[in-house]
Amino acid sequence: MRREPSPPRPDFAEEAKRIGFHYAHADGEPYWDETARYVFSMREIEDRLETATADLAALCEDVVARIVTDEQALERLRIPRHAWAPIAESHARRDPSLYGRFDFAYDGSGPPRLLEYNADTPTSLFESSVVQWFWLERMIERGHLPAGADQFNSLHDRLIARWREIAEGGPVHFACMTASVEDRGNVAYLADCAAQAGSWTARVDMRDIGLCGEMFVDRLGRRVERMFKLYPWEWMFADAFGKSAAMGATRFVEPPWKAVASSKGFLALLWEAAPGHPNLLPCFFEDDARASSLSRFARKPLYSREGANVTLVDGDARLAETKGAYGGEGYVRQELCLLPNVGGRYPVLGCWLVGGAPAGMGLREDSSLVTTDRSRFLPHAIID
């Protein structure tokens, strides 16, 4: 793995507009950054990153199967009691998962180490799937990358194929908080994938979903039979409709059973299930006596977004601390694994799953040790 300068395209703004990439800049700052690129060997991708992603996906599947009906585990994850039955029932039905993302610390030498599992509402999908693939093609066409350059990226085709399996051509509503340009962009992309898989699709704001008897409906009165929601399960279960019988009538993507993996507490349960796993870091609930054994650790809320309320501790020193409104449910302490310093930047590698199988990678970097919503997305290439 190496970071190297890369010539930005003079016509990128036109291409971004053409493909619908409306959040290349955020609050006046670049989010998409092609002034540099990360380069990997095929062996690194296949033997380390892809293998780690597949191994951890299998482990997560096993651990989820053990805890969806384990009341003690659900309590530790601070999942409300009224959510336990929908979670167990969705798993028993084998409700399908569309996607997820493992965030790894990786320095090009040792094994990738899992920092977080974004199991429920991961974003940065469109830029991982489409935007950086177009970048790769243009760089090859213009002679800035060798003709044989490749990318860890089969996301687009796999997403279409997975939607075909999940929806079988049936209707799908796509919901998010539409005030977020990034959320709208990710949902629009996934709706396009579902449409290419043969489904009728409709995009709605979460606030435009109502109840009609024991069924969710949209503003036009159409039944919401299957819904992709870019809206976290912990928020769903906390909302007024979270106890409604309609929760069992609609099939959700991601399904309710994914809620157990979307908590940072799941990292502690993974470590309990596979202590010493080369791709895991020791992790404990903060109220577990074993947590005090870690003198160097990342303190993370059970539920948080975009790196909020994270503290990095090294003995008596606080290396980094982010603000936010999370942490009321409790925290975990995960052994400290600092992101590699690559020319003053700290990259995190997001390896994607589609249907539980490795499907691609997106890379974000920051000048801070904690990756946040201000971090930039950089493209990557495989060159041997």
Side-chain angles (χ1 to χ4, degrees), residues 250-267:
T250 296
R251 293 293 173 262
F252 292 97
V253 182
E254 294 297 306
W257 62 261
K258 269 298 199 67
V260 304
S262 67
S263 165
K264 304 297 189 298
F266 189 66
L267 298 169

PDB file of all heavy atoms in Angstrom, residues 250-267:
ATOM      1  N   THR A 250     -44.122  -4.995   7.028  1.00  0.00           N
ATOM      2  CA  THR A 250     -43.183  -4.527   6.012  1.00  0.00           C
ATOM      3  C   THR A 250     -41.889  -5.317   6.118  1.00  0.00           C
ATOM      4  O   THR A 250     -41.425  -5.620   7.212  1.00  0.00           O
ATOM      5  CB  THR A 250     -42.897  -3.022   6.200  1.00  0.00           C
ATOM      6  OG1 THR A 250     -44.101  -2.286   5.984  1.00  0.00           O
ATOM      7  CG2 THR A 250     -41.836  -2.539   5.229  1.00  0.00           C
ATOM      8  N   ARG A 251     -41.309  -5.632   4.979  1.00  0.00           N
ATOM      9  CA  ARG A 251     -39.991  -6.275   4.959  1.00  0.00           C
ATOM     10  C   ARG A 251     -38.955  -5.179   4.729  1.00  0.00           C
ATOM     11  O   ARG A 251     -39.023  -4.449   3.737  1.00  0.00           O
ATOM     12  CB  ARG A 251     -39.905  -7.336   3.861  1.00  0.00           C
ATOM     13  CG  ARG A 251     -40.814  -8.519   4.117  1.00  0.00           C
ATOM     14  CD  ARG A 251     -40.366  -9.311   5.341  1.00  0.00           C
ATOM     15  NE  ARG A 251     -41.302 -10.358   5.700  1.00  0.00           N
ATOM     16  CZ  ARG A 251     -42.227 -10.239   6.641  1.00  0.00           C
ATOM     17  NH1 ARG A 251     -42.346  -9.102   7.314  1.00  0.00           N
ATOM     18  NH2 ARG A 251     -43.029 -11.249   6.919  1.00  0.00           N
ATOM     19  N   PHE A 252     -38.014  -5.091   5.670  1.00  0.00           N
ATOM     20  CA  PHE A 252     -37.047  -4.000   5.665  1.00  0.00           C
ATOM     21  C   PHE A 252     -35.694  -4.454   5.140  1.00  0.00           C
ATOM     22  O   PHE A 252     -35.262  -5.591   5.358  1.00  0.00           O
ATOM     23  CB  PHE A 252     -36.853  -3.458   7.086  1.00  0.00           C
ATOM     24  CG  PHE A 252     -38.055  -2.762   7.646  1.00  0.00           C
ATOM     25  CD1 PHE A 252     -38.932  -3.434   8.487  1.00  0.00           C
ATOM     26  CD2 PHE A 252     -38.311  -1.431   7.342  1.00  0.00           C
ATOM     27  CE1 PHE A 252     -40.045  -2.797   9.009  1.00  0.00           C
ATOM     28  CE2 PHE A 252     -39.424  -0.787   7.861  1.00  0.00           C
ATOM     29  CZ  PHE A 252     -40.294  -1.474   8.700  1.00  0.00           C
ATOM     30  N   VAL A 253     -35.032  -3.528   4.492  1.00  0.00           N
ATOM     31  CA  VAL A 253     -33.638  -3.693   4.079  1.00  0.00           C
ATOM     32  C   VAL A 253     -32.883  -2.484   4.627  1.00  0.00           C
ATOM     33  O   VAL A 253     -33.195  -1.364   4.252  1.00  0.00           O
ATOM     34  CB  VAL A 253     -33.506  -3.728   2.548  1.00  0.00           C
ATOM     35  CG1 VAL A 253     -32.065  -3.955   2.135  1.00  0.00           C
ATOM     36  CG2 VAL A 253     -34.423  -4.803   1.951  1.00  0.00           C
ATOM     37  N   GLU A 254     -31.987  -2.644   5.570  1.00  0.00           N
ATOM     38  CA  GLU A 254     -31.556  -3.867   6.209  1.00  0.00           C
ATOM     39  C   GLU A 254     -32.630  -4.401   7.186  1.00  0.00           C
ATOM     40  O   GLU A 254     -33.364  -3.633   7.780  1.00  0.00           O
ATOM     41  CB  GLU A 254     -30.263  -3.623   6.981  1.00  0.00           C
ATOM     42  CG  GLU A 254     -29.071  -3.284   6.072  1.00  0.00           C
ATOM     43  CD  GLU A 254     -28.715  -4.426   5.141  1.00  0.00           C
ATOM     44  OE1 GLU A 254     -28.497  -5.560   5.604  1.00  0.00           O
ATOM     45  OE2 GLU A 254     -28.684  -4.205   3.921  1.00  0.00           O
ATOM     46  N   PRO A 255     -32.673  -5.751   7.378  1.00  0.00           N
ATOM     47  CA  PRO A 255     -33.697  -6.349   8.232  1.00  0.00           C
ATOM     48  C   PRO A 255     -33.440  -6.080   9.718  1.00  0.00           C
ATOM     49  O   PRO A 255     -32.321  -5.720  10.107  1.00  0.00           O
ATOM     50  CB  PRO A 255     -33.580  -7.837   7.914  1.00  0.00           C
ATOM     51  CG  PRO A 255     -32.168  -8.018   7.468  1.00  0.00           C
ATOM     52  CD  PRO A 255     -31.807  -6.750   6.745  1.00  0.00           C
ATOM     53  N   PRO A 256     -34.459  -6.254  10.573  1.00  0.00           N
ATOM     54  CA  PRO A 256     -34.293  -5.985  12.000  1.00  0.00           C
ATOM     55  C   PRO A 256     -33.136  -6.736  12.662  1.00  0.00           C
ATOM     56  O   PRO A 256     -32.509  -6.215  13.585  1.00  0.00           O
ATOM     57  CB  PRO A 256     -35.640  -6.400  12.594  1.00  0.00           C
ATOM     58  CG  PRO A 256     -36.618  -6.162  11.487  1.00  0.00           C
ATOM     59  CD  PRO A 256     -35.874  -6.538  10.229  1.00  0.00           C
ATOM     60  N   TRP A 257     -32.829  -7.945  12.200  1.00  0.00           N
ATOM     61  CA  TRP A 257     -31.750  -8.699  12.859  1.00  0.00           C
ATOM     62  C   TRP A 257     -30.404  -8.008  12.708  1.00  0.00           C
ATOM     63  O   TRP A 257     -29.489  -8.233  13.506  1.00  0.00           O
ATOM     64  CB  TRP A 257     -31.677 -10.142  12.376  1.00  0.00           C
ATOM     65  CG  TRP A 257     -31.388 -10.399  10.930  1.00  0.00           C
ATOM     66  CD1 TRP A 257     -32.281 -10.680   9.949  1.00  0.00           C
ATOM     67  CD2 TRP A 257     -30.088 -10.419  10.292  1.00  0.00           C
ATOM     68  NE1 TRP A 257     -31.643 -10.871   8.744  1.00  0.00           N
ATOM     69  CE2 TRP A 257     -30.298 -10.730   8.929  1.00  0.00           C
ATOM     70  CE3 TRP A 257     -28.785 -10.218  10.741  1.00  0.00           C
ATOM     71  CZ2 TRP A 257     -29.249 -10.834   8.005  1.00  0.00           C
ATOM     72  CZ3 TRP A 257     -27.732 -10.322   9.830  1.00  0.00           C
ATOM     73  CH2 TRP A 257     -27.967 -10.620   8.489  1.00  0.00           C
ATOM     74  N   LYS A 258     -30.274  -7.122  11.722  1.00  0.00           N
ATOM     75  CA  LYS A 258     -29.029  -6.382  11.569  1.00  0.00           C
ATOM     76  C   LYS A 258     -28.794  -5.413  12.739  1.00  0.00           C
ATOM     77  O   LYS A 258     -27.683  -4.916  12.925  1.00  0.00           O
ATOM     78  CB  LYS A 258     -29.039  -5.607  10.256  1.00  0.00           C
ATOM     79  CG  LYS A 258     -28.460  -6.331   9.041  1.00  0.00           C
ATOM     80  CD  LYS A 258     -27.002  -6.672   9.240  1.00  0.00           C
ATOM     81  CE  LYS A 258     -26.242  -6.976   7.971  1.00  0.00           C
ATOM     82  NZ  LYS A 258     -26.060  -5.870   7.069  1.00  0.00           N
ATOM     83  N   ALA A 259     -29.840  -5.110  13.520  1.00  0.00           N
ATOM     84  CA  ALA A 259     -29.696  -4.180  14.648  1.00  0.00           C
ATOM     85  C   ALA A 259     -28.682  -4.682  15.661  1.00  0.00           C
ATOM     86  O   ALA A 259     -27.987  -3.887  16.300  1.00  0.00           O
ATOM     87  CB  ALA A 259     -31.049  -3.956  15.324  1.00  0.00           C
ATOM     88  N   VAL A 260     -28.566  -5.992  15.816  1.00  0.00           N
ATOM     89  CA  VAL A 260     -27.640  -6.497  16.841  1.00  0.00           C
ATOM     90  C   VAL A 260     -26.186  -6.280  16.429  1.00  0.00           C
ATOM     91  O   VAL A 260     -25.304  -6.165  17.283  1.00  0.00           O
ATOM     92  CB  VAL A 260     -27.895  -7.990  17.155  1.00  0.00           C
ATOM     93  CG1 VAL A 260     -29.331  -8.215  17.582  1.00  0.00           C
ATOM     94  CG2 VAL A 260     -27.531  -8.885  15.993  1.00  0.00           C
ATOM     95  N   ALA A 261     -25.933  -6.216  15.121  1.00  0.00           N
ATOM     96  CA  ALA A 261     -24.560  -6.026  14.647  1.00  0.00           C
ATOM     97  C   ALA A 261     -24.206  -4.561  14.478  1.00  0.00           C
ATOM     98  O   ALA A 261     -23.027  -4.222  14.308  1.00  0.00           O
ATOM     99  CB  ALA A 261     -24.358  -6.762  13.321  1.00  0.00           C
ATOM    100  N   SER A 262     -25.205  -3.676  14.523  1.00  0.00           N
ATOM    101  CA  SER A 262     -24.930  -2.256  14.270  1.00  0.00           C
ATOM    102  C   SER A 262     -24.507  -1.508  15.522  1.00  0.00           C
ATOM    103  O   SER A 262     -24.142  -0.335  15.445  1.00  0.00           O
ATOM    104  CB  SER A 262     -26.159  -1.586  13.652  1.00  0.00           C
ATOM    105  OG  SER A 262     -27.231  -1.536  14.566  1.00  0.00           O
ATOM    106  N   SER A 263     -24.544  -2.161  16.672  1.00  0.00           N
ATOM    107  CA  SER A 263     -24.059  -1.552  17.914  1.00  0.00           C
ATOM    108  C   SER A 263     -22.558  -1.777  18.035  1.00  0.00           C
ATOM    109  O   SER A 263     -22.039  -2.832  17.658  1.00  0.00           O
ATOM    110  CB  SER A 263     -24.775  -2.188  19.117  1.00  0.00           C
ATOM    111  OG  SER A 263     -24.118  -1.888  20.320  1.00  0.00           O
ATOM    112  N   LYS A 264     -21.848  -0.787  18.597  1.00  0.00           N
ATOM    113  CA  LYS A 264     -20.417  -0.990  18.871  1.00  0.00           C
ATOM    114  C   LYS A 264     -20.225  -2.103  19.891  1.00  0.00           C
ATOM    115  O   LYS A 264     -19.147  -2.702  19.971  1.00  0.00           O
ATOM    116  CB  LYS A 264     -19.779   0.303  19.377  1.00  0.00           C
ATOM    117  CG  LYS A 264     -19.934   1.508  18.463  1.00  0.00           C
ATOM    118  CD  LYS A 264     -19.254   1.324  17.144  1.00  0.00           C
ATOM    119  CE  LYS A 264     -19.244   2.644  16.360  1.00  0.00           C
ATOM    120  NZ  LYS A 264     -20.614   3.136  16.056  1.00  0.00           N
ATOM    121  N   GLY A 265     -21.273  -2.386  20.684  1.00  0.00           N
ATOM    122  CA  GLY A 265     -21.184  -3.509  21.614  1.00  0.00           C
ATOM    123  C   GLY A 265     -20.973  -4.829  20.906  1.00  0.00           C
ATOM    124  O   GLY A 265     -20.452  -5.788  21.502  1.00  0.00           O
ATOM    125  N   PHE A 266     -21.358  -4.899  19.636  1.00  0.00           N
ATOM    126  CA  PHE A 266     -21.149  -6.129  18.863  1.00  0.00           C
ATOM    127  C   PHE A 266     -19.663  -6.433  18.727  1.00  0.00           C
ATOM    128  O   PHE A 266     -19.271  -7.600  18.639  1.00  0.00           O
ATOM    129  CB  PHE A 266     -21.799  -5.986  17.495  1.00  0.00           C
ATOM    130  CG  PHE A 266     -21.847  -7.251  16.686  1.00  0.00           C
ATOM    131  CD1 PHE A 266     -22.612  -8.326  17.094  1.00  0.00           C
ATOM    132  CD2 PHE A 266     -21.131  -7.363  15.505  1.00  0.00           C
ATOM    133  CE1 PHE A 266     -22.664  -9.496  16.345  1.00  0.00           C
ATOM    134  CE2 PHE A 266     -21.167  -8.515  14.747  1.00  0.00           C
ATOM    135  CZ  PHE A 266     -21.942  -9.595  15.163  1.00  0.00           C
ATOM    136  N   LEU A 267     -18.826  -5.386  18.745  1.00  0.00           N
ATOM    137  CA  LEU A 267     -17.375  -5.604  18.691  1.00  0.00           C
ATOM    138  C   LEU A 267     -16.893  -6.384  19.907  1.00  0.00           C
ATOM    139  O   LEU A 267     -15.999  -7.233  19.806  1.00  0.00           O
ATOM    140  CB  LEU A 267     -16.651  -4.264  18.601  1.00  0.00           C
ATOM    141  CG  LEU A 267     -16.931  -3.405  17.367  1.00  0.00           C
ATOM    142  CD1 LEU A 267     -16.362  -2.004  17.552  1.00  0.00           C
ATOM    143  CD2 LEU A 267     -16.372  -4.063  16.109  1.00  0.00           C
TER     144      LEU A 267
END
